[in-house]
Amino acid sequence: MIRPNFDDIFMELAVNLAKRSHCIKKHVGAVLTKETRIISIGYNGPPSGTHNCDEEFPVEGCARDNKGSCTLALHAEQNAILYAVKNNTSVEGSTLYVTLAPCLACARIIFSMGIQRVIYMYSYAEYKGLPFDEGLEFLKKFGVQVDQYEKEIKFEDNLI
Ligand SMILES: [Zn+2]
Ligand SMILES: [Zn+2]
C-alpha cells in the first residue's frame, strides 16, 4: 500500500472541495493547515446562505465585474480564512493549499493574516490571460513561501 504524504492528502481534498463550488465559471478549493492538521477549508462562492450562482442564474450567468469575475463570490482562500477567524482559530503560521494560485487581493489577505506558506496547483495568470501571477509575486516579495504542487490530480471541466 502506498502511504500518501500530507501534501497529496491536502491537495486532493482541495480538489474535491472545488467540486462543491456553485460558480458557473471556475471551481476552486482551499485547505488551511497547521503542521499536519486541517484548521479550515473553503471553496469559491457567495457567502453561505446568500446565492448559488449556477442555480439562480443558469442561463444568463451571475453579474460580472470589469475583470470578468463574479460580483457575489468570495474566493476559496477568503472563505477558508474567514471561517477560521470567525471560529477564533488563529491562521498565523499556517499553510494554504489551493487549486488555483491566489489573486492579488487574496495574496494581500494571506500575507496580512500571517500565513507562512502557499501551495497552489494552477497558475491564476494563465487562467485569466495575465502576463504574470501578481498574487504569487506579492507573496514571494514579502517572504511567504510559495510552491507549485507538482503532481497531477485529475480535474474536470470547470476546474481548468
Ligand atoms: Zn457567481
Ligand atoms: Zn482571490
Side-chain angles (χ1 to χ4, degrees), residues 22-24 46 51-58 61-62 70 72-73:
H22 285 283
C23 185
I24 51 168
H51 299 276
N52 287 334
C53 297
D54 58 346
E55 288 162 9
E56 283 176 63
F57 323 104
C62 43
C70 177
L72 303 170

Side-chain angles (χ1 to χ4, degrees), residues 33-50:
T33 69
K34 213 175 253 186
E35 291 160 359
T36 57
R37 309 294 168 131
I38 293 166
I39 58 174
S40 190
I41 59 172
Y43 50 87
N44 64 318
S48 68
T50 62

Side-chain angles (χ1 to χ4, degrees), residues 37 52 65 84 91 136 141:
R37 309 294 168 131
N52 287 334
D65 66 16
V91 301
L136 297 181
K141 184 173 175 190

Side-chain angles (χ1 to χ4, degrees), residues 75 77 103 106:
H75 287 180
E77 307 91 310
C103 69
C106 286

Side-chain angles (χ1 to χ4, degrees), residues 68-150:
S69 297
C70 177
T71 52
L72 303 170
L74 291 162
H75 287 180
E77 307 91 310
Q78 294 169 1
N79 269 323
I81 293 165
L82 289 170
Y83 183 84
V85 171
K86 194 176 167 193
N87 289 284
N88 299 319
T89 304
S90 168
V91 301
E92 182 107 42
S94 63
T95 296
L96 175 74
Y97 293 82
V98 63
T99 56
L100 186 66
C103 69
L104 186 55
C106 286
R108 290 192 294 254
I109 295 170
I110 288 164
F111 171 74
S112 299
M113 296 303 292
I115 292 170
Q116 212 165 54
R117 187 174 178 213
V118 172
I119 302 172
Y120 70 98
M121 188 178 273
Y122 294 116
S123 161
Y124 182 81
E126 232 167 78
Y127 163 60
K128 284 281 184 185
L130 302 170
F132 67 98
D133 268 294
E134 46 190 13
L136 297 181
E137 291 311 308
F138 181 93
L139 291 171
K140 286 181 205 163
K141 184 173 175 190
F142 296 108
V144 178
Q145 191 189 335
V146 173
D147 297 294
Q148 185 162 24
Y149 184 75
E150 301 279 337

